[in-house]
Amino acid sequence: MSHAIRRASELALDEATVTALRAALKTTADEVVQAIIDEVPPYANALSGHMGATIRRAVRTALGHYLDLASGNATGGDAGDAAYELGRGEVHDGRSMDALLSAYRVGARVAWRCLAAGAVPAGLPAAEVAKFAELTFAYIDELSAASAAGHADELAARGRAHERHLEHLARDLLAGASPDVLLASVQRAGWQPPVTLTAVLLPAAQARPASYRALDPSTLVLDDLPDATGVLLVPDADRSHLLRQLTDRTAVVGPARPWTRASASYARAVRARALSSDIRDTEDHLPELVLSADMEAFADLRTRALAPLRTLPVATARRLEETLRAWLLHQGRRDEVAAALFVHPQTVRYRMSQLRELFPDLASPHRVLELTLAVGLRAS
């Protein structure tokens, strides 16, 4: 309170004036509180009952400390600390700093009116009245500043704690924690569970801008996973809108899953990214994801189902495999197979004759299923 202390050093309140002002302290405090109730709506109910009595005592204490300061008997430190804690407490009570500053302005006006009304009859010289006014408002300004600092610090601390709780919830979701664990994390984070969550993988540096600028504000974000990977868990996403929002980002979008099963969406996005760097929407690549779910089983299936081709030269085997794949996908329609392979229909007919010799049971439903799966992914 250096400014107020400097103002106090320039003021000479005699003992008679201070005694008169102290005698009016309770009345002044009551008038200050009543004016705040009347003029600052957020305090209309807060200053009634027990809370009202507590705040009246606080106001009297602040005014008493002010008189100590005015008479040269205090440094102002205790009042500044109390004002700082008051600012923090306002965050707990859900009131904005604007409301508290309004209360200070009203309090300063009423306090000055009451103090001046007591000081002048007590014999305060006219020359000292202006200094007294300056001290009063300097004192209130510094109390206001201390409260604003306490309010800001408490908001920042709460914001950091809230972020930590949200990150902890995101980690629990990705780990597939039990419903009981998830519900406890949700409660700590103060997060409203959606119906579904959609996992999005993207570079860590892009995670927070994507979340806070374009997506649902309830999106959970992690940007410190291995390999500089970031994850967004987007609530109840409109998939087409989500994909449009991520157009300029290197992202992989998993499926929507019930929020307690967000780990399944994340796992699929991870597998898709491992399968190909070209995948953005996992829903567009379900066959590849299914066939790559167990790569060893897929390799065994290919080895067994395509064994007859292994007796041929590599180039010939590759041409026939491509023909078989097109034939299965186009359900044997020769012209469509030829167009897909950029060959003449007679070439397709010739190759299919070779394939029927290699696979005599090519018309068998079981053989068709096995071959369809075997050639479902192009051979690398």
Side-chain angles (χ1 to χ4, degrees), residues 3-69:
H3 184 58
I5 292 171
R6 187 170 65 253
R7 292 292 182 188
S9 68
E10 300 170 357
L11 180 67
L13 288 184
D14 58 33
E15 187 174 344
T17 300
V18 172
T19 300
L21 292 176
R22 286 193 188 283
L25 208 59
K26 181 179 183 303
T27 300
T28 299
D30 289 344
E31 289 194 28
V32 167
V33 171
Q34 189 58 52
I36 292 171
I37 292 173
D38 293 341
E39 299 182 37
V40 187
Y43 288 92
N45 297 320
L47 300 185
S48 61
H50 174 72
M51 180 58 70
T54 300
I55 293 179
R56 281 178 174 81
R57 284 195 300 273
V59 171
R60 285 200 299 272
T61 300
L63 290 173
H65 193 278
Y66 164 73
L67 292 180
D68 289 341
L69 184 64

Side-chain angles (χ1 to χ4, degrees), residues 74-107:
T75 63
D78 291 342
D81 292 344
Y84 179 88
E85 291 303 321
L86 175 60
R88 293 186 59 209
E90 292 299 273
V91 176
H92 290 279
D93 292 338
R95 283 185 290 275
S96 70
M97 193 58 215
D98 286 343
L100 183 55
L101 291 177
S102 294
Y104 269 123
R105 286 193 293 270
V106 171

